[in-house]
Amino acid sequence: MSVVQAQPAPLAEEAPVSLWRDAWYRLKRNRLAIFGLFVIALLAFTALFGPYLTPYDFLGQDLEARNQAPSLAHLFGTDDLGRDVFSRVVYGTRTAFLVAVVVTTIALAIGTTLGAIAGFFGNPFDRVIMWLTDVTMSVPNLLLVVVINASLKTPIAQWMEARYLETLNPFYRETVWIDFLLVFGSMALISWPPYARLVRAQVLSIRSRPYITAAQALGLSNRIILMRYVVPNALGPLIVAVSAGLGTAMVLESAFSFLGVGVNPPTPSWGNMISDGLRVWQHYPHLLAAPAAVLGLASVAFSFLGDGLNDALNPRGSK
Amino acid sequence: MSAKTENRLLDVKGLTIEIETRRGPAVVVDGIDLHVDKGETLGVVGESGCGKSLTMLSLMRLLPNKIRVTQGEAHFDGRDLQKMSNRELRKVRGGDIGFVFQDPMTSLNPVMRIGDQLAEPLIYHRGMSRREARTRATELLRLVGIPGPEERIQAYPHELSGGMRQRVMIAIGLACEPKLLIADEPTTALDVTIQAQIVDLVKGLREKLGMSVVWITHDLALIAGLVDRVVVLYAGTIVEDAPVDELYANPRHPYTRGLLASIPKLSDAPASRLNSIGGTPPEPGRRPEGCPFAPRCPLAMDVCRSHVPKLEPVSAAGSHRAACFAVEKAREAA
């Protein structure tokens, strides 16, 4: 988002600072938040380039070297098929980030749009959208995801298979996409309500501010007022929620993979690695420890950053 | 009559505004008639809560929830503002009628550079490109006397002082060279020296741009040198309407006299108490029968408590009108 990279202020020394610069200045002084940011940057780099840098293929099996303890050759050891755990954790980072970013983006888009409409235009939109939000939130998350996966996976797979036989287009053979579609879709479906509620609350309070009336008195359209006056002012708390939401999405994906409704093997995900590791942890604890530690680290990093952003964007709350 | 109407820029007739309360609808503005001629500056004066701001907001159909216009019409340049489609109305807002709001601290978007806020109406109403609008924004800031406008368009509202922000608000109101500028207590939040600067600024701009101005205030002294005509509002009704010099020289309504008497003068004895009007204006929905000012009026007679006085000319010329039985009686006696 371009607003975050505020342009340098024109004057030196006592130069006035923009809201975002000010927030960045406060964030920089928060060590935990900077630690979080550093870890997230490292993980993001790993997600982007890691798979090209790992010493082994994440699918490469070496049946001679199964269940090895961590060593210099295999930093996190090997699993029961002789695959390098480090390479798999690195590739799992990509899965985790892909899930987190895509799910959060979809949830954010749905939540922001619905929340802004509900808050800005009021009833009857408000009532319908909030009803939808409450209904979605009242269904247990895991249950909903399990139901979606269990009921839709087979029909979609069959449909894809039929399409393949019809067109012989290899795209329809790629079952990974079904996985992603279902996992992303179902996770986004359960993740949007908090964003909608947050944005609605923000918009409700912003809508009654004088600068909104002033913008209306300028003859600006509702769309412009919503996009340029309301949403940017609601962004602070939303950024905090997104930072926390990214971490939550990673943990959620792991939970689903653990339960077998997430990303399917052989695509490595921290969740299914933890799930596999759990069965043998008494004998090979490193199989559980490596992915679990990385997941924990990522989750904590996002929490720290979210907390730091919260303080940085709420000047009233800080000392 | 037709020459008179031709010169009318804004003509409000029988405007009634009601607010929804738990006890039912309450009248806050009670059938007022108001007009502004082309090139004229009108002062609208009254205590807080007498309906000044609501009247002006209602013209642009910007009333908050639960407050609405129940009767009356408002013609601007011959067209009824209350009957316009939203699309037409949006062209009038900011295009033909500029608004300057009361509180410069909260009436600017805090996360938008002031240059962009100035550019917005230009892009929307004048179809300018962003670049053209920015150049024009710089000119506007120079016009309202902001030093270093080239740098200032990059600033965020919180980087400017109150007086500077009010200048920005005025610049935004003037951006599309409106025919009418409505200023809603634009100096209330500012200190006295800045108030005078803003008044002078608007005075100069009015002449330069040839626009009409409606200046809402509760400060009669401030606008003496600015406006041509003053309308005094009390509890949602017009109690007096007169050319500014006439009003100061010869106030007729007891409320206007009270307002003028409450302005401290240098000739007052040093330790004397400030004059004030006893009591408070009636709450909406609890207006007394008869003249709304009667309970606070030193001249109140029996008729004032049972009948509502009409706005009648007090002089032969007819340009000075007041709504008061005492004034009428005095005139009949003369």
Side-chain angles (χ1 to χ4, degrees), chain B residues 5-71:
Chain B
T5 31
E6 249 170 53
N7 205 26
R8 291 267 159 96
L9 182 64
L10 178 71
D11 200 353
V12 179
K13 286 214 179 81
L15 183 77
T16 303
I17 301 175
E18 285 182 4
I19 180 164
E20 252 176 67
T21 67
R22 250 174 287 162
R23 277 172 275 134
V27 175
V28 276
V29 171
D30 192 5
I32 66 170
D33 299 329
L34 199 73
H35 66 91
V36 182
D37 290 339
K38 285 179 185 151
E40 186 186 35
T41 300
L42 176 72
V44 177
V45 180
E47 277 168 280
S48 309
C50 71
K52 302 172 302 232
S53 303
L54 287 182
T55 304
M56 293 307 148
L57 283 176
S58 77
L59 296 180
M60 301 273 70
R61 308 216 305 247
L62 287 173
L63 290 175
N65 280 344
K66 303 203 166 174
I67 302 181
R68 59 205 158 77
V69 173
T70 50
Q71 268 178 55

Side-chain angles (χ1 to χ4, degrees), chain B residues 3-237:
Chain B
K4 209 170 156 192
T5 31
E6 249 170 53
N7 205 26
R8 291 267 159 96
L9 182 64
L10 178 71
D11 200 353
V12 179
K13 286 214 179 81
L15 183 77
T16 303
I17 301 175
E18 285 182 4
I19 180 164
E20 252 176 67
T21 67
R22 250 174 287 162
R23 277 172 275 134
V27 175
V28 276
V29 171
D30 192 5
I32 66 170
D33 299 329
L34 199 73
H35 66 91
V36 182
D37 290 339
K38 285 179 185 151
E40 186 186 35
T41 300
L42 176 72
V44 177
V45 180
E47 277 168 280
S48 309
C50 71
K52 302 172 302 232
S53 303
L54 287 182
T55 304
M56 293 307 148
L57 283 176
S58 77
L59 296 180
M60 301 273 70
R61 308 216 305 247
L62 287 173
L63 290 175
N65 280 344
K66 303 203 166 174
I67 302 181
R68 59 205 158 77
V69 173
T70 50
Q71 268 178 55
E73 44 194 62
H75 288 273
F76 177 79
D77 233 2
R79 293 179 296 165
D80 192 341
L81 291 167
Q82 303 295 331
K83 293 204 180 92
M84 272 183 190
S85 69
N86 283 333
R87 183 181 288 264
E88 282 175 304
L89 188 69
R90 280 215 303 272
K91 291 214 174 93
V92 175
R93 290 176 180 171
D96 292 330
I97 302 182
F99 238 96
V100 179
F101 283 90
Q102 185 168 357
D103 187 357
M105 300 302 174
T106 55
S107 298
L108 290 167
N109 184 350
V111 297
M112 210 165 156
R113 291 169 201 277
I114 60 169
D116 291 331
Q117 296 192 56
L118 265 164
E120 209 76 82
L122 293 166
I123 294 166
Y124 187 78
H125 293 292
R126 289 288 145 95
M128 285 188 185
S129 71
R130 202 149 273 281
R131 181 183 296 261
E132 286 169 330
R134 272 184 103 72
T135 315
R136 177 81 182 121
T138 318
E139 285 166 22
L140 282 164
L141 288 184
R142 191 172 291 120
L143 185 72
V144 296
I146 289 183
E150 292 83 4
E151 284 103 60
R152 285 301 177 192
I153 58 168
Q154 294 286 339
Y156 285 93
H158 73 278
E159 297 165 13
L160 302 178
S161 67
M164 284 296 157
R165 281 192 230 182
Q166 194 55 280
R167 282 164 193 267
V168 172
M169 294 281 299
I170 291 173
I172 292 175
L174 293 175
C176 296
E177 294 174 9
K179 294 171 186 157
L180 176 66
L181 183 74
I182 299 177
D184 184 1
E185 306 206 31
T187 59
T188 307
L190 307 175
D191 62 55
V192 187
T193 48
I194 311 292
Q195 287 188 356
Q197 286 177 17
I198 298 285
V199 168
D200 285 342
L201 172 69
V202 171
K203 213 165 142 186
L205 291 172
R206 175 191 61 184
E207 275 142 32
K208 208 182 280 181
L209 304 173
M211 60 184 175
S212 305
V213 177
V214 173
W215 188 286
I216 304 173
T217 183
H218 54 248
D219 188 347
L220 261 175
L222 180 74
I223 56 167
L226 173 73
V227 302
D228 302 316
R229 196 160 55 84
V230 179
V231 162
V232 182
L233 276 178
Y234 182 78
T237 56

Side-chain angles (χ1 to χ4, degrees), chain A residues 12-41:
Chain A
E13 279 289 52
E14 78 274 41
V17 284
S18 81
L19 295 176
W20 300 105
R21 286 194 135 226
D22 212 24
W24 170 236
Y25 174 75
R26 276 195 295 270
L27 186 68
K28 267 196 305 196
R29 292 192 307 180
N30 184 334
R31 286 204 198 138
L32 282 180
I34 290 302
F35 164 75
L37 195 64
F38 174 76
V39 171
I40 292 165

